[in-house]
Amino acid sequence: EAGVAQSPRYKIIEKRQSVAFWCNPISGHATLYWYQQILGQGPKLLIQFQNNGVVDDSQLPKDRFSAERLKGVDSTLKIQPAKLEDSAVYLCASSQGGAAGHTIYFGEGSWLTVV
Amino acid sequence: GENVGLHLPTLSVQEGDNSIINCAYSNSASDYFIWYKQESGKGPQFIIDIRSNMDKRQGQRVTVLLNKTVKHLSLQIAATQPGDSAVYFCAEGRSGGYQKVTFGTGTKLQVIP
């Protein structure tokens, strides 16, 4: 079974520039998550989709971050304009959701450095 | 608000010994708890979970203990191996309208050969 795919793996941008990350979840998984993980910390949920609808974006800095999940499958996370404190690993994850399963499967992450 | 944290940031264990990683949580409404392992440069990987109506669950070389009275969770790794070296996160989850999972800070396990 293919895992969660993310790209790009690494990105270096200057502050105030924009960046976009792409995620392809495990086939059939209804729930998709974007987490931000700063070095030395646990993953922090940015946004959670159930199919193509947002169920939790309470910790998403909406003035600069946006995410979408078209057709309930792939998702993109965009940051514009980037700040130095956005340097982190952006983890995409998916789960079957609901009573079918709560185990979250993570991708390898997209490493962002803002200089 | 929700708070899931770990007692020790770094744990060093001799190869072959047992490891115990601890976690405290504050949300009594959590339905389940999960342990994840994160190796350097990789995403977190599911190890084992336990539902709130259980107090112990065993897997291959791992055991999770849940003490709801003191809101404490632990992960025991038997016969620790060098490949167990990683950061371990506990997470708490709630079912309901949608699954909500919150991660703690993490403990780094260093296995000494």
Side-chain angles (χ1 to χ4, degrees), chain A residues 9 33 35 37 40-43 48 55-56 91 97-98 102-104 106-108 111, chain B residues 32 34 36 38 41-46 49 51 89 98-101 103-106:
Chain A
R9 283 297 317 272
Y33 314 77
Y35 284 86
Q37 186 175 26
Q41 298 182 16
Q48 180 174 340
V55 295
D56 189 344
L91 295 163
H102 56 243
T103 302
I104 299 177
F106 286 85
E108 298 285 72
W111 296 65
Chain B
Y32 54 92
I34 315 157
Y36 282 87
Q38 187 172 27
K42 296 186 177 181
Q45 180 183 17
F46 171 87
D49 63 358
R51 290 209 168 270
F89 294 98
Y98 63 92
Q99 304 282 353
K100 184 173 177 63
V101 178
F103 284 79
T105 306

Side-chain angles (χ1 to χ4, degrees), chain B residues 40-107:
Chain B
S40 181
K42 296 186 177 181
Q45 180 183 17
F46 171 87
I47 302 173
I48 191 168
D49 63 358
I50 186 169
R51 290 209 168 270
S52 60
N53 60 355
M54 301 171 65
D55 53 20
K56 181 179 180 179
R57 191 172 186 207
Q58 289 184 296
Q60 186 176 15
R61 281 203 307 120
V62 295
T63 300
V64 57
L65 299 178
L66 176 62
N67 186 331
K68 293 183 289 294
T69 302
V70 295
K71 296 180 184 174
H72 183 267
L73 187 70
S74 69
L75 177 70
Q76 300 178 4
I77 304 173
T80 310
Q81 303 169 358
D84 295 327
S85 293
V87 177
Y88 289 80
F89 294 98
C90 67
E92 60 173 330
R94 283 183 294 157
S95 303
Y98 63 92
Q99 304 282 353
K100 184 173 177 63
V101 178
T102 304
F103 284 79
T105 306
T107 292

Side-chain angles (χ1 to χ4, degrees), chain A:
Chain A
E1 179 184 78
V4 177
Q6 290 189 246
S7 68
R9 283 297 317 272
Y10 305 95
K11 191 75 176 178
I12 301 175
I13 61 173
E14 295 182 349
K15 59 183 178 183
R16 291 186 290 275
Q17 286 187 326
S18 63
V19 63
F21 302 113
W22 172 84
C23 172
N24 179 237
I26 293 173
S27 178
H29 280 194
T31 307
L32 185 147
Y33 314 77
W34 282 102
Y35 284 86
Q36 179 192 59
Q37 186 175 26
I38 293 172
L39 188 64
Q41 298 182 16
K44 183 185 83 171
L45 181 68
L46 292 176
I47 189 167
Q48 180 174 340
F49 294 92
Q50 184 76 18
N51 296 307
N52 61 345
V54 176
V55 295
D56 189 344
D57 63 358
S58 58
Q59 298 193 88
L60 185 74
K62 299 180 185 63
D63 58 333
R64 298 183 301 104
F65 286 63
S66 65
E68 60 181 7
R69 189 183 186 194
L70 299 176
K71 301 180 182 178
V73 181
D74 293 5
S75 177
T76 56
L77 175 71
K78 296 179 181 178
I79 307 174
Q80 182 180 17
K83 292 185 175 181
L84 296 177
E85 58 261 37
D86 298 333
S87 293
V89 180
Y90 291 86
L91 295 163
C92 181
S94 68
S95 67
Q96 287 182 288
H102 56 243
T103 302
I104 299 177
Y105 297 88
F106 286 85
E108 298 285 72
S110 292
W111 296 65
L112 174 66
T113 301
V114 182
V115 298

